Structures are given as C-alpha cells and as structure tokens.
Amino acid sequence: MLKTLFSTFRFVLVLTGVATVLAPSAAHAEGEQVLSGGFNFMCSLDKTEGGVRCWGQKTQSGVPGTVTTSNLPYPAINITGVVTLAAGTRSVCALRNDGAVLCWGDNLYGAVGDANLGNRTILAPQIVSGLGGGAIAIGAGSWADHTCAITADFNARCWGRNSSGQLGNGNFITTHIPQAIANLGAVGAIATGTDHTCAITLAGAVKCWGFGGLNGDGTGNSRPAPTQVVGLTSGVRAVEAGFQHTCTLLESGGIKCWGNNSFGQLGNGSLTGGLAPVDVVGITDAVNIAVGRDYSCARLVAGSVKCWGNRQQAGGGDGIEWTNANQRQSTPVTVIGLSQPAVSIAASHQYACAVVVSGAVECWGRHPTSALTSAQEARATAHLGGLTLDTRLIMAEYRHASLDYFFLTSRYFEKLLLKAVVPDFQVTGKSFFVYPTDLLAGTKPITRYYFDKVAKAELRGSHFYTLVDGERNVLNGLNPSNSDAPKLPYNEGVDSFAFTPLIEGLGGSCVSGLAPLYRAFRGARFPDDPNHRFTTDLALYNSLVTTGWDGEGVKMCVSP
C-alpha cells in the first residue's frame, strides 16, 4: 500500500467524482502562487496559458524593452506552461508543468542557475540543471539571493549565495549548481530569506538553516545544515521568510514568527527580537501569509487582510499615514480599501498586493507601480491597472488504476503529490472550475471529510465531499471533537467552492452557463464505507448506476 511508502502522510484514498489522494498532515493553502514579489518588482502567473508577467525593475524582473522600470505588467520572454512562481531579490524562478525550473534576472550569486556568475543580467528564462527527475515545488523570498526546489522524491535542493550556509549543504561556498540539503529528509514546502532557508517536513515540522538568529532554534548560532525550529514539530501549514525574520502558518489558523523585530514584524506586541517562535497577536483564522523586508501580512478566512511591521513599507494599509513616531507597528492592523475580499496575497520588498475575488490586483506600500502617489504610499490600497488574474481553481480527477479508486481535489499541493507518485495515480482528464472563496455571490463551500480504515479490510481510507447542510450536520455529529479516529468522519475543512443553486436529487436543472454535477454512491452508509463519486459526465454517471452504484442525481452546479 502507498501508506507504507509515505508513512508520514495521512493516507487519503478518496472516491468522489474522480480520484485517490495522499494528503500530508501539513496541508497547504489552496491554489497556486499567482503573485510573487522580489526586491523591487512583482510577477504574476497567467493560469490559463501558464505565462508570466512582471513589473518593476527591468534587470530583476525580466521586463523586456529599453526601459529600466516598468509601471505596468509586461510579459516575460518565451515562457508558457508555468504552474507556480518564486521571486527572489534580483531574480525570478518558475516551475513549469513538466517539472522544469526556469529562472531569469540578476545572476550575481548564481540564483538563476547559470554557470556564469557575476553581475550578469539574464532576461531569457534559463532551465536549471541538476534537479534530477524534475521539481514539484519551488521557493524564493523577496530578499534572497538563492533559490530552492523540491524534487519529485520530496528532497530539496538549493543554489545561489551561500555566505551563511543558507544552501544547507554543510559549507559556505556560493554555487549555481543545485545542492542537496544535509540530513533534511522529505519536505513539502520551502522558503528562502536573506541568509537563511526554512522547510516544512511531510510531518508538518519546520527546520531551518543559515545565519544565526534566523533559524528559530533558540541559540542564535549559524547553521550550514538543517536544525529543528523550537516548538514547531508538527501542525505547520506554510512558511514564509523575509529579510531577517520568518513566519509560519499553523493548521489552527494561528501564526508564529521569529527573528528580527525592530519594526514589530513578529506581530507579538513588542519590538524585541526572538530566537524562537512567538505568537502573532489576535490572529486565529489565517489562511495565507506573506512576508516582506520588515513587515508581515496575513489573509484571513473571511477575505480580509491584516499586516504588521514597518508602516513605511506595507506594515500598515489601515489608512493612517506613517510617521517616524508610528513607523513601528507591533500588532496586526486591518488593510482598508480592498474592493472585494482577497483570495491571495504576496509580499515584495517594500509593498504588498492582494488578488481580490474579481481577479483585480490591489497593492499598498512603497511600490513602483504608479498605482499610489507618494502621499498614499503605505497607508492606502490602489488597483494595479492592466492586470486581472483568474481566481478560479480547477477540481481535477485522478484514478489509482490497480485499486480502481478515484479522487477529486483542487488543492495544489495534493496535485503535486499525485504527480510525484505517478504511475500509481493518473489524471483522468475530467475537471471543472470552482471558486476560491464562498464570499463570491452564488457560491457555496464544499466540505471534505476523511474516513480512516473503512475499505479494503481496513487498509485504506475514504473521502466524502458535500455542500448539503443536512449531510454536514450528520457527519459533524458523528465526530464532534473532530479527532482522528478509525471509521469516524474527520472534517478536513473546505476543499473548494462550487456554484449554487444547490439541487438535491434528480430532476433539478442548472442555470445557463453552469453544468450539473452528478453524485453516485457505493457502499454502506457512513461511517462504514462512504464512497462517492462526482462527475459532470452524464454518460459516466449512467454507467455507474447500471453497474450497481446508487444514483443520487444532481447535487450541485459547477462552472465547466
């Protein structure tokens, strides 16, 4: 069984419209990284074509032409098929859908992965060699001169500047060649700061290496190899590294930060730095985090954004003009002026941006976009013209051939896992769009439940998806504490969002532009073996019913 291969994963064999999946205990925020910021620029991902657009400093972001700075997004040169981005101090890297990592920008320290080190600007994306069978994730920070990638075997490799041991290979030699990390093990996410790097293991722990005081191990010692962050041995969902501080998002929705705190960027109500993680005050429902030079931000579950740290950068956004007296913001404040709820956020060196429900990009702080006047900077948000991003997620179906099991997911990290364990899991080609927030009019959340040890002689688990309130109430009532327990439903939270109207059973119809999503059921009623399959393919649904599945009809409408 796959569980024996990945013992640190929660084994998630799912049967819902399509697919079987492995979900790590360190579940990541949904959605690809559609915005990523560097020292004085920002880049965005076109999810439809996989192209990249950047604005800001030309030599860093790859903006074509003769201008030195671009106020509006320009297309990057000759790049398509990108699935996620990672911008560093002076360079950008993109993960392509075939596993290749391409980088461009300033190659002073080899962060582009090119053999010709030195202050050499590379505008054309270069494929980074030395990553074996390809990458499934990448990481870079807005103040980092090195880049890291996670390969298909969940091992990490880093390249670029190594003055403080931030490459994690046990030495301090700068190189353009990806370096294996010493004694790190399997990881699911990685982030780079100025002189340090942090990664989340598949068990949800955080390990860091590099400059002393930034490793979170409580000692202040420099580490050229990974060391365990104090108190973060499990339950970490995301990690972001800045100039001299790092923040982590916990599965609980809380945030912990450590490192330099001279501007209050740790968010704990003080200006005293921390060698070990401290809690950010008043945040318990975060879903995304972003870390800049001397500030930090979080997107909350309701779509609002809070920031803290240097108000001259993006640590404010609450409408209050910064002064020398109030420049330091040690507790989170709410960013005002966003036209709609945010669905993702990103941090550059001194400014931050949010993508709102409509796909508009709205920024605040000291940003080179001409969106804000100097009087507005750091205290107001403004729409970035010429850029509208696709905020939809794709619910894709996967099948485990030997088990004849199906799994449906929109979670980007789960898609990476499925890709990494090919050929056991294969995408079936069946998919539909859902939206990343239930704050958009006409949407309703899909809740995902996991049942452990309910199938194949208790050798595997199963999933159940629903947006029917009555079913949610029944499932929540079977395990009100939501604790891990065999044969009881574990509420894994909102997986994605689908259109209303809700249609329970056969005979309903969807409004124009939406397609009916059929649900078929097989097995005893919960909690024994609640296997469901969702599909927009009526012929497939009918074939399931004829082979013994219980046809439950149209349960929801989706964007095909």
Side-chain angles (χ1 to χ4, degrees):
M1 291 295 292
L2 288 172
K3 189 172 184 178
T4 62
L5 299 178
F6 301 103
S7 60
T8 58
F9 285 27
R10 167 174 292 155
F11 189 41
V12 203
L13 279 176
V14 184
L15 202 78
T16 58
V18 191
T20 309
V21 76
L22 292 168
S25 58
H28 283 213
E30 293 183 19
E32 298 86 345
Q33 185 66 39
V34 294
L35 283 179
S36 188
F39 170 64
N40 206 21
F41 68 95
M42 188 81 76
C43 292
S44 67
L45 170 64
D46 181 344
K47 289 166 63 176
T48 303
E49 301 295 333
V52 178
R53 289 188 283 182
C54 302
W55 62 96
Q57 290 292 328
K58 170 189 172 183
T59 56
Q60 298 162 3
S61 64
V63 172
T66 58
V67 296
T68 58
T69 300
S70 166
N71 294 325
L72 295 176
Y74 279 76
I77 302 172
N78 297 327
I79 187 168
T80 58
V82 176
V83 294
T84 193
L85 296 171
T89 304
R90 305 174 179 88
S91 61
V92 187
C93 290
L95 173 61
R96 205 165 59 186
N97 53 19
D98 61 358
V101 175
L102 297 90
C103 301
W104 63 96
D106 192 319
N107 198 44
L108 177 61
Y109 298 106
V112 174
D114 189 277
N116 296 303
L117 300 181
N119 192 8
R120 175 173 177 261
T121 301
I122 301 173
L123 293 183
Q126 308 289 308
I127 294 180
V128 177
S129 60
L131 293 177
I136 58 172
I138 52 177
S142 63
W143 196 258
D145 285 316
H146 67 292
T147 310
C148 298
I150 300 174
T151 53
D153 56 3
F154 304 105
N155 288 316
R157 293 180 178 269
C158 300
W159 62 97
R161 192 174 186 177
N162 198 28
S163 56
S164 300
Q166 56 263 51
L167 299 189
N169 63 342
N171 64 47
F172 300 90
I173 301 172
T174 293
T175 176
H176 70 285
I177 301 173
Q179 302 292 301
I181 312 301
N183 301 316
L184 177 59
V187 296
I190 196 162
T192 62
T194 307
D195 300 309
H196 71 293
T197 307
C198 295
I200 304 176
T201 70
L202 293 183
V206 179
K207 295 184 178 182
C208 299
W209 55 96
F211 189 78
L214 303 180
N215 296 315
D217 62 356
T219 68
N221 297 329
S222 293
R223 306 282 189 180
T227 183
Q228 175 64 52
V229 175
V230 174
L232 296 180
T233 57
S234 65
V236 178
R237 194 173 167 191
V239 60
E240 294 286 336
F243 176 47
Q244 290 183 337
H245 76 291
T246 300
C247 292
T248 54
L249 172 62
L250 309 182
E251 289 181 345
S252 65
I255 300 172
K256 288 181 178 288
C257 303
W258 63 93
N260 191 321
N261 198 29
S262 56
F263 290 94
Q265 56 264 50
L266 300 190
N268 67 334
S270 79
L271 299 177
T272 303
L275 297 176
V278 295
D279 290 314
V280 174
V281 175
I283 293 184
T284 59
D285 60 344
V287 289
N288 290 131
I289 54 175
V291 174
R293 176 184 166 92
D294 298 318
Y295 72 92
S296 311
C297 294
R299 179 175 71 92
L300 308 186
V301 68
S304 62
V305 178
K306 290 190 174 185
C307 297
W308 56 97
N310 192 334
R311 299 181 68 92
Q312 186 181 8
Q313 297 171 20
D318 56 353
I320 301 174
E321 187 171 1
W322 76 273
T323 64
N324 289 334
N326 74 359
Q327 186 176 358
R328 295 166 174 81
Q329 179 65 45
S330 62
T331 57
V333 294
T334 300
V335 174
I336 66 170
L338 294 175
S339 63
Q340 293 178 303
V343 297
S344 67
I345 57 174
S348 182
H349 172 52
Q350 296 187 95
Y351 70 98
C353 294
V355 183
V356 298
V357 169
S358 67
V361 179
E362 299 175 358
C363 305
W364 60 100
R366 301 186 66 184
H367 53 92
T369 62
S370 293
L372 295 178
T373 66
S374 58
Q376 291 175 310
E377 285 184 345
R379 66 184 179 93
T381 58
H383 175 62
L384 177 64
L387 186 66
T388 301
L389 302 181
D390 189 347
T391 62
R392 298 178 301 178
L393 300 176
I394 297 176
M395 292 283 277
E397 179 180 81
Y398 298 81
R399 179 173 182 260
H400 189 289
S402 62
L403 296 175
D404 190 26
Y405 235 65
F406 296 85
F407 181 71
L408 182 70
T409 186
S410 70
R411 300 184 183 189
Y412 178 60
F413 188 67
E414 290 178 345
K415 293 177 184 179
L416 295 179
L417 294 176
L418 292 166
K419 178 181 178 181
V421 296
V422 168
D424 295 311
F425 294 96
Q426 295 284 351
V427 64
T428 67
K430 304 291 184 182
S431 63
F432 54 87
F433 288 109
V434 291
Y435 287 80
T437 175
D438 60 348
L439 299 173
L440 181 63
T443 61
K444 187 169 184 178
I446 302 173
T447 305
R448 188 170 86 178
Y449 294 86
Y450 172 68
F451 293 75
D452 190 17
K453 299 181 180 179
V454 293
K456 290 289 183 181
E458 298 190 349
L459 292 177
R460 69 185 185 204
S462 175
H463 279 88
F464 177 79
Y465 293 78
T466 186
L467 52 62
V468 180
D469 291 334
E471 292 176 346
R472 269 198 283 252
N473 293 337
V474 170
L475 292 165
N476 291 336
L478 291 172
N479 188 9
S481 65
N482 205 38
S483 59
D484 286 308
K487 299 186 178 182
L488 290 179
Y490 182 89
N491 186 332
E492 295 190 316
V494 172
D495 186 76
S496 307
F497 299 86
F499 275 112
T500 55
L502 171 66
I503 302 172
E504 298 187 47
L506 292 170
S509 61
C510 297
V511 299
S512 176
L514 301 182
L517 188 66
Y518 303 94
R519 189 171 80 181
F521 173 81
R522 178 171 65 182
R525 282 291 170 183
F526 21 79
D528 295 326
D529 192 7
N531 295 325
H532 283 77
R533 183 171 182 181
F534 290 89
T535 182
T536 56
D537 187 335
L538 179 59
L540 175 59
Y541 171 76
N542 288 333
S543 70
L544 291 171
V545 173
T546 59
T547 56
W549 289 68
D550 179 15
E552 296 188 321
V554 181
K555 287 294 181 179
M556 63 191 85
C557 301
V558 299
S559 180

